[in-house]
Amino acid sequence: MRDATRAPGDEPGVQEAHARTRERVARSILENGPSTAAALGERLGLTPAAVRRHLDTLLAEGVIESREERVYGHRGRGRPAKVFVLTPAGRDAFEQAYDDLAVGALRFLAETGGEHLVAEFARRRIADLEERYRPIIESVPPEQRAAALADALSADGYAASAQASPVSGEQLCQHHCPVAHVAEQFPQLCEAETEAFARLLDTHVQRIATIAHGEGVCTTHIPAAAAPRGTTGKTNESAERISHI
């Protein structure tokens, strides 16, 4: 018999189901990047009302935040759609490969041996990934290599995707970074990763945005025209138009 003092929907089983659905919503945002309520509903098979209810709860808990969707080209009438992204606290709810111990160790390395040792550590850390990915990348035609790299990164937990760029070429998006907290203080980790991408793709690449710097997605621009192998570049005027939220 139902407890007369308990409101409908307060049963433990119902609340557990709601909590699992909210986790699915948050994980969908983690794996797919900034998402509209409509996209989440379609992706997860939820009604608009259910999506809104779970998004409201996640917003109140500080797990996600809303932003205006960026629109390229002519903007139609009406307000831009809202997209939802994970907050730093929201990312903390998911697995993080490094913690304060890693930050402390790298800080000690920098203070006792110099910043160059941190850069060397970052390069050695990424060397294993580069060695494992190279046969995968080289086994496909050049036009498929960005997608192959995204698949390899996803298998390692980076929730990556490759898509056409709003400018020219492609953009590689990583919706999860297991070392984001460490990279906030040691950007050498991001720099070493970008250099590895350039070598693997045999072209110039540009890191446009990083989760470590507060963006919703790590975005790397891969120009259509090849440049000298193993080079990287900083954001230029056209690259700043690359999608990152």
Side-chain angles (χ1 to χ4, degrees):
M1 182 176 180
R2 175 181 291 176
D3 186 344
T5 63
R6 179 176 289 161
D10 281 351
E11 294 85 350
V14 174
Q15 292 303 310
E16 289 175 7
H18 288 335
R20 287 195 296 270
T21 302
R22 284 195 296 274
E23 182 178 355
R24 289 176 59 215
V25 172
R27 184 170 290 278
S28 181
I29 295 173
L30 170 71
E31 295 178 348
N32 295 279
S35 304
T36 64
L40 287 164
E42 182 177 353
R43 199 182 294 147
L44 300 174
L46 299 173
T47 66
V51 171
R52 288 293 178 187
R53 181 171 64 250
H54 293 304
L55 287 174
D56 286 344
T57 300
L58 291 170
L59 285 166
E61 293 175 348
V63 175
I64 63 172
E65 62 184 3
S66 64
R67 301 176 183 175
E68 285 190 353
E69 184 177 28
R70 295 196 176 190
V71 178
Y72 295 91
H74 178 70
R75 173 177 289 176
R77 294 183 178 181
R79 299 181 60 184
K82 281 187 177 181
V83 294
F84 298 89
V85 301
L86 287 182
T87 63
R91 291 185 182 279
D92 284 343
F94 294 95
E95 302 81 13
Q96 295 290 339
Y98 291 86
D99 56 13
D100 291 342
L101 179 61
V103 172
L106 287 178
R107 185 177 296 118
F108 175 80
L109 190 64
E111 292 174 352
T112 58
E115 294 288 338
H116 70 283
L117 288 184
V118 176
E120 179 61 24
F121 168 83
R123 286 191 291 268
R124 290 198 180 190
R125 175 186 171 275
I126 209 69
D128 174 66
L129 177 148
E130 186 175 350
E131 182 178 355
R132 288 189 293 109
Y133 288 3
R134 184 167 297 284
I136 299 172
I137 305 304
E138 293 182 346
S139 69
V140 300
E143 64 272 16
Q144 297 177 17
R145 289 181 177 176
L149 177 56
D151 290 343
L153 287 165
S154 293
D156 278 347
Y158 288 85
S161 63
Q163 59 195 48
S165 168
V167 185
S168 175
E170 296 178 275
Q171 60 183 25
L172 178 70
C173 298
Q174 296 159 261
H175 302 288
H176 179 57
C177 176
V179 297
H181 288 181
V182 183
E184 287 178 10
Q185 299 188 46
F186 297 97
Q188 294 94 329
L189 297 175
C190 297
E191 293 165 3
E193 182 181 76
T194 306
E195 292 169 359
F197 289 172
R199 290 190 294 269
L200 286 167
L201 297 173
D202 197 20
T203 187
H204 171 88
V205 301
Q206 297 166 320
R207 181 57 63 90
I208 305 303
T210 63
I211 293 172
H213 289 163
E215 304 291 342
V217 180
C218 290
T219 305
T220 304
H221 179 53
I222 306 168
R229 179 173 180 170
T231 61
T232 60
K234 297 183 180 299
T235 303
N236 59 23
E237 182 177 352
S238 63
E240 288 176 353
R241 292 183 281 133
I242 301 297
S243 170
H244 66 277
I245 298 180

